């Protein structure tokens, strides 16, 4: 990942000594103008900011919206952006922000305390009439209060220690009041998303192309960034190109400048032709497969533990990926806040896997397939298109599990059936999962029934008959409310250990976001979990 460049202090220079600052010299070399061609693997869905966790959505929102705060991707410190400063009470139930003056949305309306309050009331409480869901990064939200035109205060029903970091994430992009008045199904139209960011969407061909124009009046980027003022680029042209080979070919033929989702098997080709690979980490819950214990085939913890031990994640990484995809050693990435090393618990042990299946009453039948009470141990998983080489990953797991007598059927399916079946544990007992966020609250976002609910518990949106894990949910809720930093990280460790001991998830690898760019693309940067920022980019084609 290319490091984010921060403002260097100008060297004290005198005209007599003839010293010229390095910053000034760099600025003189910067080229303004030009349109960046960005090739995306998938089309976006809803651009309601809390839906920005889907990377195609986030890649758009990151260009057109600003956040209250900025998370330094190198240090993970929270720094000023639209909020100049903030205060937090001792039990982290009240947060007060001073808003930068002079900021406007692209429709000319002010981004003031009232606008910030309306954004967070919507994100924190949702809007049933407009079908706008609650943001997964905001916990225990109560209300906002506008203290004065540039001061806003937020109140929480219980401590919310992750809120400050939550104000920096893509799901907290600030949008205009007119955008917040629209129904969710209207927010798939990128031209309807009015933000205060450095670019504005001027045209969209749904599922194919989006055109962005730079805001020449933009003057409120993150306070500590080296680049200030409007973007160097005139605009961006985003093209949706689903075929990996076509994106690579367009890049190397000079028909694209930056592409997302470079598969590991294409990295050598890209590098050999002088192009740059960027692989910023996502710093959250690792790329995994998760089980839905409401399905009787995986309800027995011994079956899940057996499949965990039958999984050789080292072979997955070695066969399908590169050094940019480290083997997982826990539920969380090693770069994540609160990470606990659980490598010994994730060790590949096919003999132990076979023994556990025997203990659970699943014995080899004809052809070696495990059977119990007249049923075959046959599981189903749908591939996840956003995840790198996910079909190949699941197929390799199927080969590994077959060696202990378990069949995994990997399905593609159309998007409608895949989404519907994924909510039904009886149809989809195994599912790929990952989520990026540089805060321990990410683990609650993944597993709690009122958030992503990847395990499919009662109380979530799925078709669940009986499964619920109250102990896990209490741990997750405690994590989201713990004000002591050390205890909060300890709780994150407890959750990771519990998830692995229960074999609810099998972590495979730490997933980056993989991009490639032409050598003339300068100052490309990424936010803390890997979404690109084109704000400071300039094109050195001379």
């Amino acid at each position: 990942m290319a490091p984010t460049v921060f403002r260097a202090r100008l060297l004290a220079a005198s005209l007599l000594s003839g010293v010229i600052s390095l910053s000034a010299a760099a600025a003189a070399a910067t080229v303004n103008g030009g349109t960046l061609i960005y090739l995306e693997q998938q089309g976006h869905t809803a651009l309601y900011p809390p839906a920005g966790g889907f990377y195609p959505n986030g890649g758009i929102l990151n260009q057109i919206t600003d956040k209250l705060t900025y998370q330094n991707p190198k240090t993970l410190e929270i720094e000023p952006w639209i909020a100049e400063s903030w205060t937090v009470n001792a039990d982290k139930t009240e947060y007060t922000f001073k808003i930068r003056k002079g900021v406007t949305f692209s429709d000319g309306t002010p981004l003031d305390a009232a606008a910030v309050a309306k954004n967070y009331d919507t994100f924190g409480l949702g809007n049933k009439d407009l079908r706008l869901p609650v943001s997964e990064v905001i916990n225990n939200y109560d209300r906002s209060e506008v203290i004065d035109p540039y001061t806003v205060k937020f109140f929480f029903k219980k401590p919310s220690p992750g809120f400050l970091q939550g104000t920096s994430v893509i799901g907290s992009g600030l949008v205009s009041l007119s955008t917040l008045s629209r129904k969710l199904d209207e927010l798939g139209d990128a031209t309807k998303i009015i933000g205060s960011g450095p670019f504005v969407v001027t045209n969209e061909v749904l599922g194919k192309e989006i055109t962005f124009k730079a805001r020449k009046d933009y003057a409120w980027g993150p306070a500590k960034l080296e680049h200030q003022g409007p973007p160097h680029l005139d605009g961006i042209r985003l093209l949706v190109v689903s075929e990996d080979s076509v994106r690579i070919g367009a890049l190397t033929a000079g028909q694209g400048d930056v592409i997302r989702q470079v598969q590991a098997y294409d990295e050598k080709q890209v590098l050999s032709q002088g192009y740059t690979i960027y692989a910023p980490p996502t710093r959250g819950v690792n790329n995994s497969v998760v089980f839905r214990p409401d399905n009787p085939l995986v309800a027995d913890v011994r079956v899940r533990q057996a499949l965990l031990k039958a999984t050789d994640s080292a072979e997955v990484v070695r066969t399908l990926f590169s050094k940019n995809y480290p083997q997982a050693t826990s539920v969380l990435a090693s770069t994540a806040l609160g990470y606990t090393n659980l490598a010994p618990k994730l060790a590949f042990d096919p003999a132990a896997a076979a023994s556990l299946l025997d203990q659970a009453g699943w014995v080899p039948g004809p052809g070696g397939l495990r059977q119990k009470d007249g049923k075959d141990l046959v599981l189903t998983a749908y591939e996840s298109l956003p995840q790198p080489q996910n079909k190949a990953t699941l197929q390799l797991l199927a080969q590994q599990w077959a060696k202990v007598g378990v069949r995994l059927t990997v399905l593609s399916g159309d998007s409608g059936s895949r989404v519907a079946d994924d909510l039904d544990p009886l149809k989809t007992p195994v599912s790929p999962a990952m989520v990026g966020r540089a805060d321990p609250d990410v683990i609650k976002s993944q597993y709690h029934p009122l958030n992503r609910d990847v395990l499919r518990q009662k109380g979530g949106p799925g078709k669940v008959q009986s499964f619920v894990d109250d102990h896990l949910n209490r741990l997750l809720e405690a994590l989201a409310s713990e004000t002591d930093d050390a205890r909060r990280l300890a709780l994150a460790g407890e959750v990771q250990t519990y998830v692995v001991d229960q074999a609810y998830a099998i972590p495979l690898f730490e997933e980056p976001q993989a991009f490639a760019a032409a050598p003339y693309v300068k100052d490309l940067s990424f936010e803390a979990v890997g979404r690109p920022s084109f704000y400071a980019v300039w094109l050195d084609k001379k």
Side-chain angles (χ1 to χ4, degrees):
M1 175 178 178
T4 301
V5 181
F6 292 89
R7 179 177 294 277
R9 294 184 178 179
L10 296 177
L11 299 174
S14 103
L15 292 174
L16 293 175
S17 67
V19 177
I20 301 175
S21 78
L22 293 176
S23 294
T30 302
V31 176
N32 290 319
T35 297
L36 181 83
I37 308 300
Y38 174 52
L39 306 185
E40 167 60 72
Q41 181 204 33
Q42 291 182 273
H44 69 274
T45 55
L47 293 174
Y48 173 55
F54 180 48
Y55 273 82
N57 296 354
I60 297 168
L61 288 167
N62 212 36
Q63 319 314 320
I64 64 176
T65 66
D66 299 320
K67 272 71 74 178
L68 270 182
T69 61
Y70 176 77
Q71 187 169 30
N72 183 320
K74 184 175 181 180
T75 67
L76 301 186
E77 293 295 318
I78 304 300
E79 299 175 351
W81 192 350
I82 297 304
E84 293 182 324
S85 62
W86 51 85
T87 57
V88 185
N89 70 343
D91 64 0
K92 298 183 181 178
T93 58
E94 298 178 7
Y95 291 74
T96 303
F97 294 87
K98 290 287 186 181
I99 307 303
R100 194 168 179 169
K101 295 180 180 178
V103 181
T104 60
F105 293 108
S106 60
D107 63 359
T109 58
L111 201 175
D112 53 13
V116 172
K118 180 63 175 178
N119 271 262
Y120 278 90
D121 284 348
T122 304
F123 300 162
L125 300 173
N127 185 315
K128 290 184 179 180
D129 292 338
L130 300 178
R131 298 190 292 279
L132 301 176
V134 172
S135 169
E136 68 181 4
V137 304
I138 301 177
N139 293 294
N140 309 321
Y141 188 82
D142 184 16
R143 62 187 173 89
S144 67
E145 180 180 329
V146 176
I147 306 299
D148 63 45
Y150 294 97
T151 307
V152 61
K153 188 171 186 177
F154 299 109
F155 298 85
F156 295 82
K157 299 172 184 176
K158 295 191 294 185
S160 187
F163 179 68
L164 182 61
Q165 190 274 344
T167 64
S168 74
V169 303
I170 196 68
S172 297
L174 299 167
V175 293
S176 70
L177 300 184
S178 63
T179 300
L180 292 173
S181 70
R182 294 182 180 276
K183 294 179 180 179
L184 182 63
D185 55 10
E186 297 179 72
L187 298 181
D189 182 344
T191 64
K192 300 291 193 296
I193 312 301
I194 307 301
S196 62
F199 294 93
V200 180
V201 173
T202 57
N203 189 54
E204 175 182 3
V205 180
L206 189 62
K208 295 183 178 180
E209 180 175 350
I210 298 177
T211 305
F212 303 76
K213 181 176 71 175
R215 281 191 70 175
K216 297 304 182 183
D217 62 343
Y218 187 80
W220 43 81
K224 294 187 179 182
L225 287 191
E226 180 177 9
H227 177 57
Q228 296 291 312
H232 296 301
L233 296 168
D234 290 330
I236 305 163
R237 188 179 174 209
L238 183 156
L239 300 173
V240 178
V241 181
S242 60
E243 290 294 327
D244 295 339
S245 60
V246 177
R247 290 197 307 283
I248 295 289
L251 178 71
T252 56
Q255 297 172 339
D257 303 317
V258 179
I259 66 174
R260 190 182 78 86
Q261 197 75 312
V262 179
Q263 302 294 355
Y265 51 73
D266 284 323
E267 289 182 8
K268 288 183 180 179
Q269 175 190 352
V270 171
L271 292 169
S272 69
Q273 297 189 52
Y275 293 82
T276 304
I277 297 289
Y278 298 86
T282 52
R283 291 192 175 94
V285 176
N286 283 324
N287 191 296
S288 312
V289 291
V290 296
F291 294 106
R292 278 67 188 276
D294 206 56
N295 185 302
L297 295 176
V298 293
D300 189 328
V301 66
R302 294 172 295 185
V303 173
R304 302 194 302 270
Q305 289 170 340
L307 293 173
L308 185 152
K309 293 183 181 298
T311 299
D312 186 351
S313 58
E315 182 185 32
V316 171
V317 172
R318 183 174 64 250
T319 305
L320 299 175
F321 297 100
S322 70
K323 65 180 181 180
N324 292 321
Y325 301 76
Q327 182 183 354
T329 54
S330 186
V331 173
L332 290 182
S334 59
T335 55
L337 294 170
Y339 160 79
T340 296
N341 189 336
L342 299 176
K345 292 177 178 287
L346 300 174
F348 175 52
D349 190 343
S355 176
L356 282 163
L357 289 169
D358 289 340
Q359 294 171 35
W362 289 96
V363 297
L369 182 63
R370 298 272 175 169
Q371 296 179 326
K372 180 181 179 180
D373 299 330
K375 294 182 179 179
D376 295 334
L377 191 45
V378 177
L379 306 175
T380 299
Y382 281 92
E383 69 170 311
S384 173
L385 292 175
Q387 295 181 22
Q389 295 204 77
N390 187 249
K391 184 175 184 178
T393 297
L394 292 173
Q395 288 172 337
L396 182 50
L397 287 187
Q399 294 174 26
Q400 294 175 354
W401 292 3
K403 293 176 182 178
V404 296
V406 180
R407 182 183 300 159
L408 176 64
T409 302
V410 181
L411 301 177
S412 297
D414 63 75
S415 58
S417 64
R418 185 167 61 243
V419 170
D421 288 357
D422 191 59
L423 293 173
D424 187 346
L426 294 181
K427 293 182 178 180
T428 311
V430 180
S431 182
M434 69 80 58
V435 59
R437 182 184 174 189
D439 186 88
D441 272 6
V442 69
I443 203 165
K444 176 179 180 288
S445 295
Q446 183 78 326
Y447 296 112
H448 197 275
L450 297 183
N451 295 137
R452 296 193 175 213
D453 187 35
V454 295
L455 305 180
R456 301 292 178 247
Q457 298 190 57
K458 286 184 68 177
K463 299 178 181 179
V464 179
Q465 298 299 313
S466 60
F467 173 66
V468 65
D469 189 326
D470 290 326
H471 178 70
L472 174 62
N473 295 336
R474 282 193 295 269
L475 284 176
L476 295 170
E477 290 159 8
L479 168 66
S481 300
E482 178 55 61
T483 60
D484 180 83
D485 289 343
R487 176 59 183 153
R488 188 166 178 245
L489 296 180
L491 282 166
E494 286 186 48
V495 174
Q496 291 166 79
T497 300
Y498 184 74
V499 167
V500 169
D501 285 347
Q502 293 296 311
Y504 286 146
I506 304 175
L508 300 174
F509 58 86
E510 299 183 14
E511 183 177 330
Q513 283 296 298
F515 298 80
Y520 55 77
V521 176
K522 305 298 182 182
D523 293 340
L524 176 61
S525 63
F526 303 88
E527 43 96 84
V529 294
R531 294 176 187 86
S533 171
F534 302 128
Y535 170 48
V537 166
W538 55 284
L539 304 178
D540 187 16
K541 291 186 175 182
K542 60 180 183 293

